[in-house]
Short mmCIF file of all heavy atoms in Angstrom, two decimals:
data_model
loop_
_atom_site.label_atom_id
_atom_site.label_comp_id
_atom_site.label_asym_id
_atom_site.label_seq_id
_atom_site.Cartn_x
_atom_site.Cartn_y
_atom_site.Cartn_z
N LYS G 1 152.82 -44.82 -88.42
CA LYS G 1 151.91 -45.94 -88.15
C LYS G 1 151.62 -46.73 -89.42
O LYS G 1 151.54 -46.17 -90.52
CB LYS G 1 150.59 -45.43 -87.58
CG LYS G 1 150.65 -44.87 -86.17
CD LYS G 1 149.26 -44.42 -85.73
CE LYS G 1 149.30 -43.87 -84.31
NZ LYS G 1 147.97 -43.41 -83.87
N PRO G 2 151.43 -48.05 -89.30
CA PRO G 2 151.00 -48.82 -90.47
C PRO G 2 149.55 -48.49 -90.81
O PRO G 2 148.74 -48.20 -89.92
CB PRO G 2 151.14 -50.27 -90.00
CG PRO G 2 151.03 -50.20 -88.51
CD PRO G 2 151.65 -48.89 -88.11
N VAL G 3 149.25 -48.53 -92.08
CA VAL G 3 147.91 -48.16 -92.54
C VAL G 3 146.84 -49.06 -91.91
O VAL G 3 145.70 -48.62 -91.71
CB VAL G 3 147.85 -48.21 -94.07
CG1 VAL G 3 146.43 -48.06 -94.58
CG2 VAL G 3 148.73 -47.10 -94.66
N ARG G 4 147.19 -50.30 -91.58
CA ARG G 4 146.18 -51.19 -90.98
C ARG G 4 145.66 -50.68 -89.64
O ARG G 4 144.60 -51.10 -89.18
CB ARG G 4 146.76 -52.60 -90.82
CG ARG G 4 147.94 -52.72 -89.88
CD ARG G 4 148.35 -54.18 -89.68
NE ARG G 4 149.60 -54.29 -88.94
CZ ARG G 4 150.79 -54.35 -89.50
NH1 ARG G 4 150.90 -54.31 -90.83
NH2 ARG G 4 151.88 -54.45 -88.77
N ALA G 5 146.41 -49.75 -89.02
CA ALA G 5 145.98 -49.19 -87.74
C ALA G 5 145.15 -47.93 -87.92
O ALA G 5 144.69 -47.35 -86.93
CB ALA G 5 147.20 -48.88 -86.88
N PHE G 6 144.90 -47.49 -89.16
CA PHE G 6 144.17 -46.26 -89.42
C PHE G 6 142.67 -46.49 -89.33
O PHE G 6 142.15 -47.54 -89.72
CB PHE G 6 144.49 -45.74 -90.82
CG PHE G 6 145.82 -45.06 -90.98
CD1 PHE G 6 146.87 -45.30 -90.11
CD2 PHE G 6 146.02 -44.18 -92.03
CE1 PHE G 6 148.09 -44.68 -90.26
CE2 PHE G 6 147.24 -43.54 -92.20
CZ PHE G 6 148.28 -43.78 -91.31
N SER G 7 141.96 -45.47 -88.88
CA SER G 7 140.50 -45.44 -89.01
C SER G 7 140.15 -45.08 -90.45
O SER G 7 141.02 -44.71 -91.25
CB SER G 7 139.91 -44.40 -88.06
OG SER G 7 140.30 -43.09 -88.46
N LYS G 8 138.85 -45.18 -90.78
CA LYS G 8 138.41 -44.80 -92.13
C LYS G 8 138.74 -43.34 -92.43
O LYS G 8 139.22 -43.00 -93.51
CB LYS G 8 136.92 -45.04 -92.30
CG LYS G 8 136.38 -44.60 -93.67
CD LYS G 8 134.93 -44.98 -93.85
CE LYS G 8 134.35 -44.41 -95.14
NZ LYS G 8 135.13 -44.74 -96.34
N GLY G 9 138.50 -42.47 -91.44
CA GLY G 9 138.78 -41.05 -91.65
C GLY G 9 140.26 -40.79 -91.85
O GLY G 9 140.66 -40.00 -92.72
N MET G 10 141.12 -41.46 -91.08
CA MET G 10 142.57 -41.30 -91.24
C MET G 10 143.01 -41.78 -92.62
O MET G 10 143.85 -41.15 -93.27
CB MET G 10 143.30 -42.07 -90.14
CG MET G 10 143.15 -41.52 -88.75
SD MET G 10 143.87 -42.61 -87.48
CE MET G 10 145.63 -42.52 -87.93
N THR G 11 142.45 -42.90 -93.06
CA THR G 11 142.80 -43.44 -94.38
C THR G 11 142.43 -42.46 -95.48
O THR G 11 143.19 -42.23 -96.42
CB THR G 11 142.09 -44.79 -94.60
OG1 THR G 11 142.48 -45.70 -93.57
CG2 THR G 11 142.46 -45.38 -95.95
N GLN G 12 141.23 -41.86 -95.36
CA GLN G 12 140.79 -40.89 -96.36
C GLN G 12 141.71 -39.68 -96.40
O GLN G 12 142.08 -39.19 -97.47
CB GLN G 12 139.35 -40.46 -96.06
CG GLN G 12 138.72 -39.56 -97.11
CD GLN G 12 138.35 -40.32 -98.37
OE1 GLN G 12 138.56 -41.52 -98.48
NE2 GLN G 12 137.80 -39.61 -99.35
N LYS G 13 142.11 -39.21 -95.23
CA LYS G 13 143.01 -38.06 -95.16
C LYS G 13 144.35 -38.38 -95.79
O LYS G 13 144.97 -37.53 -96.45
CB LYS G 13 143.19 -37.60 -93.72
CG LYS G 13 141.94 -37.04 -93.07
CD LYS G 13 142.15 -36.81 -91.58
CE LYS G 13 140.86 -36.49 -90.86
NZ LYS G 13 141.07 -36.34 -89.39
N LEU G 14 144.84 -39.60 -95.57
CA LEU G 14 146.11 -40.01 -96.18
C LEU G 14 146.02 -39.98 -97.70
O LEU G 14 146.93 -39.50 -98.39
CB LEU G 14 146.50 -41.40 -95.69
CG LEU G 14 147.86 -41.92 -96.18
CD1 LEU G 14 149.00 -41.12 -95.55
CD2 LEU G 14 148.01 -43.40 -95.87
N GLY G 15 144.92 -40.50 -98.24
CA GLY G 15 144.74 -40.47 -99.69
C GLY G 15 144.65 -39.06 -100.24
O GLY G 15 145.22 -38.74 -101.29
N LEU G 16 143.94 -38.21 -99.53
CA LEU G 16 143.85 -36.81 -99.95
C LEU G 16 145.21 -36.14 -99.90
O LEU G 16 145.58 -35.39 -100.82
CB LEU G 16 142.86 -36.06 -99.05
CG LEU G 16 141.39 -36.40 -99.25
CD1 LEU G 16 140.56 -35.94 -98.06
CD2 LEU G 16 140.86 -35.76 -100.54
N ALA G 17 145.98 -36.42 -98.85
CA ALA G 17 147.32 -35.83 -98.74
C ALA G 17 148.19 -36.27 -99.90
O ALA G 17 148.92 -35.46 -100.49
CB ALA G 17 147.96 -36.23 -97.41
N ALA G 18 148.13 -37.55 -100.27
CA ALA G 18 148.93 -38.04 -101.39
C ALA G 18 148.58 -37.33 -102.68
O ALA G 18 149.46 -36.96 -103.48
CB ALA G 18 148.75 -39.55 -101.54
N CYS G 19 147.28 -37.11 -102.90
CA CYS G 19 146.85 -36.39 -104.11
C CYS G 19 147.35 -34.95 -104.10
O CYS G 19 147.97 -34.49 -105.07
CB CYS G 19 145.32 -36.39 -104.20
SG CYS G 19 144.60 -37.90 -104.83
N LEU G 20 147.10 -34.25 -103.02
CA LEU G 20 147.40 -32.82 -102.98
C LEU G 20 148.90 -32.54 -102.94
O LEU G 20 149.35 -31.51 -103.45
CB LEU G 20 146.69 -32.18 -101.79
CG LEU G 20 145.17 -32.32 -101.79
CD1 LEU G 20 144.56 -31.67 -100.55
CD2 LEU G 20 144.55 -31.73 -103.05
N LEU G 21 149.69 -33.45 -102.39
CA LEU G 21 151.14 -33.27 -102.39
C LEU G 21 151.74 -33.46 -103.77
O LEU G 21 152.87 -33.03 -104.03
CB LEU G 21 151.79 -34.25 -101.41
CG LEU G 21 151.67 -33.90 -99.92
CD1 LEU G 21 152.12 -35.07 -99.06
CD2 LEU G 21 152.47 -32.64 -99.59
N SER G 22 151.00 -34.08 -104.68
CA SER G 22 151.52 -34.28 -106.04
C SER G 22 151.57 -32.98 -106.84
O SER G 22 152.26 -32.91 -107.85
CB SER G 22 150.64 -35.29 -106.78
OG SER G 22 149.36 -34.74 -107.09
N ARG G 23 150.82 -31.97 -106.40
CA ARG G 23 150.81 -30.66 -107.04
C ARG G 23 150.48 -30.74 -108.53
O ARG G 23 151.08 -30.07 -109.37
CB ARG G 23 152.15 -29.94 -106.85
CG ARG G 23 152.55 -29.74 -105.40
CD ARG G 23 151.53 -28.95 -104.65
NE ARG G 23 151.91 -28.68 -103.26
CZ ARG G 23 151.06 -28.29 -102.31
NH1 ARG G 23 149.78 -28.14 -102.60
NH2 ARG G 23 151.47 -28.06 -101.10
N LYS G 24 149.51 -31.57 -108.86
CA LYS G 24 149.09 -31.71 -110.24
C LYS G 24 148.16 -30.57 -110.65
O LYS G 24 147.60 -29.86 -109.80
CB LYS G 24 148.37 -33.05 -110.43
CG LYS G 24 149.25 -34.26 -110.17
CD LYS G 24 150.41 -34.35 -111.15
CE LYS G 24 151.18 -35.63 -110.95
NZ LYS G 24 152.27 -35.80 -111.92
N ALA G 25 147.98 -30.42 -111.95
CA ALA G 25 147.10 -29.37 -112.45
C ALA G 25 145.63 -29.71 -112.26
O ALA G 25 144.78 -28.83 -112.20
CB ALA G 25 147.38 -29.12 -113.93
N LEU G 26 145.34 -31.01 -112.14
CA LEU G 26 143.96 -31.48 -112.07
C LEU G 26 143.84 -32.56 -111.00
O LEU G 26 144.62 -33.52 -110.97
CB LEU G 26 143.53 -32.05 -113.43
CG LEU G 26 142.22 -32.82 -113.52
CD1 LEU G 26 141.03 -31.92 -113.20
CD2 LEU G 26 142.06 -33.44 -114.91
N TYR G 27 142.85 -32.39 -110.12
CA TYR G 27 142.53 -33.40 -109.14
C TYR G 27 141.16 -33.98 -109.47
O TYR G 27 140.19 -33.23 -109.62
CB TYR G 27 142.51 -32.82 -107.72
CG TYR G 27 143.82 -32.23 -107.26
CD1 TYR G 27 143.88 -30.94 -106.73
CD2 TYR G 27 145.00 -32.96 -107.35
CE1 TYR G 27 145.08 -30.40 -106.30
CE2 TYR G 27 146.21 -32.42 -106.93
CZ TYR G 27 146.24 -31.15 -106.40
OH TYR G 27 147.43 -30.62 -105.98
N VAL G 28 141.08 -35.30 -109.56
CA VAL G 28 139.82 -36.01 -109.76
C VAL G 28 139.53 -36.74 -108.46
O VAL G 28 140.22 -37.70 -108.11
CB VAL G 28 139.91 -36.98 -110.95
CG1 VAL G 28 138.59 -37.74 -111.12
CG2 VAL G 28 140.26 -36.23 -112.23
N LEU G 29 138.50 -36.29 -107.75
CA LEU G 29 138.22 -36.77 -106.41
C LEU G 29 136.81 -37.35 -106.34
O LEU G 29 135.82 -36.63 -106.51
CB LEU G 29 138.36 -35.63 -105.39
CG LEU G 29 139.66 -34.81 -105.46
CD1 LEU G 29 139.60 -33.64 -104.47
CD2 LEU G 29 140.87 -35.69 -105.18
N ASP G 30 136.72 -38.65 -106.11
CA ASP G 30 135.43 -39.34 -106.06
C ASP G 30 134.99 -39.41 -104.59
O ASP G 30 135.57 -40.15 -103.81
CB ASP G 30 135.58 -40.74 -106.65
CG ASP G 30 134.25 -41.38 -107.01
OD1 ASP G 30 133.21 -40.74 -106.77
OD2 ASP G 30 134.26 -42.51 -107.53
N GLU G 31 133.99 -38.64 -104.23
CA GLU G 31 133.48 -38.55 -102.86
C GLU G 31 134.61 -38.23 -101.86
O GLU G 31 134.88 -39.02 -100.94
CB GLU G 31 132.76 -39.84 -102.46
CG GLU G 31 131.52 -40.14 -103.26
CD GLU G 31 130.37 -39.19 -102.94
OE1 GLU G 31 130.41 -38.53 -101.90
OE2 GLU G 31 129.43 -39.11 -103.76
N PRO G 32 135.27 -37.09 -102.01
CA PRO G 32 136.45 -36.81 -101.18
C PRO G 32 136.17 -36.62 -99.70
O PRO G 32 137.08 -36.78 -98.88
CB PRO G 32 137.00 -35.51 -101.79
CG PRO G 32 135.83 -34.87 -102.45
CD PRO G 32 135.02 -36.02 -102.99
N THR G 33 134.93 -36.29 -99.32
CA THR G 33 134.64 -36.08 -97.89
C THR G 33 134.15 -37.36 -97.20
O THR G 33 133.80 -37.32 -96.02
CB THR G 33 133.58 -34.97 -97.71
OG1 THR G 33 132.36 -35.36 -98.36
CG2 THR G 33 134.07 -33.65 -98.28
N SER G 34 134.17 -38.48 -97.91
CA SER G 34 133.70 -39.74 -97.33
C SER G 34 134.50 -40.10 -96.09
O SER G 34 135.74 -40.14 -96.11
CB SER G 34 133.82 -40.86 -98.36
OG SER G 34 133.46 -42.10 -97.81
N GLY G 35 133.81 -40.35 -94.98
CA GLY G 35 134.46 -40.77 -93.75
C GLY G 35 135.05 -39.66 -92.91
O GLY G 35 135.61 -39.93 -91.85
N LEU G 36 134.92 -38.42 -93.36
CA LEU G 36 135.50 -37.31 -92.62
C LEU G 36 134.51 -36.74 -91.61
O LEU G 36 133.31 -36.63 -91.90
CB LEU G 36 135.94 -36.20 -93.58
CG LEU G 36 137.00 -36.55 -94.63
CD1 LEU G 36 137.38 -35.30 -95.41
CD2 LEU G 36 138.23 -37.19 -93.99
N ASP G 37 135.03 -36.37 -90.44
CA ASP G 37 134.18 -35.72 -89.43
C ASP G 37 134.00 -34.25 -89.80
O ASP G 37 134.64 -33.75 -90.74
CB ASP G 37 134.77 -35.88 -88.03
CG ASP G 37 136.16 -35.27 -87.89
OD1 ASP G 37 136.43 -34.21 -88.49
OD2 ASP G 37 136.98 -35.85 -87.16
N PRO G 38 133.10 -33.53 -89.12
CA PRO G 38 132.81 -32.14 -89.50
C PRO G 38 134.04 -31.23 -89.53
O PRO G 38 134.17 -30.40 -90.43
CB PRO G 38 131.81 -31.68 -88.43
CG PRO G 38 131.11 -32.93 -88.03
CD PRO G 38 132.16 -34.00 -88.07
N LYS G 39 134.95 -31.39 -88.57
CA LYS G 39 136.15 -30.55 -88.58
C LYS G 39 137.00 -30.84 -89.80
O LYS G 39 137.46 -29.92 -90.50
CB LYS G 39 136.96 -30.78 -87.31
CG LYS G 39 138.26 -29.97 -87.26
CD LYS G 39 139.09 -30.29 -86.03
CE LYS G 39 140.41 -29.53 -86.05
NZ LYS G 39 141.27 -29.89 -84.89
N ALA G 40 137.21 -32.12 -90.10
CA ALA G 40 138.04 -32.49 -91.23
C ALA G 40 137.40 -32.05 -92.55
O ALA G 40 138.10 -31.63 -93.48
CB ALA G 40 138.29 -33.99 -91.23
N ARG G 41 136.06 -32.14 -92.64
CA ARG G 41 135.37 -31.68 -93.86
C ARG G 41 135.62 -30.19 -94.07
O ARG G 41 135.90 -29.74 -95.19
CB ARG G 41 133.88 -31.95 -93.75
CG ARG G 41 133.50 -33.41 -93.83
CD ARG G 41 132.06 -33.61 -93.39
NE ARG G 41 131.13 -33.08 -94.37
CZ ARG G 41 130.49 -33.82 -95.27
NH1 ARG G 41 130.70 -35.13 -95.32
NH2 ARG G 41 129.65 -33.27 -96.12
#
């Protein structure tokens, strides 16, 4: 799906996935649970 069709929660999850798939030694996450529902949190 194009990102323009994403909800806020879907967009946040996509950003988190991009970070975590990078497998870096350090993650800097500014309000990472923003827009997430209780299950996703």
Side-chain angles (χ1 to χ4, degrees):
K1 290 181 179 179
V3 170
R4 63 175 172 268
F6 283 23
S7 67
K8 177 174 173 54
M10 291 172 66
T11 302
Q12 187 74 0
K13 294 172 191 177
L14 184 69
L16 288 163
C19 280
L20 300 179
L21 284 169
S22 71
R23 302 301 183 197
K24 297 296 186 177
L26 169 64
Y27 299 128
V28 178
L29 309 175
D30 197 359
E31 296 289 342
T33 61
S34 176
L36 299 185
D37 60 37
K39 178 184 177 183
R41 290 167 71 100

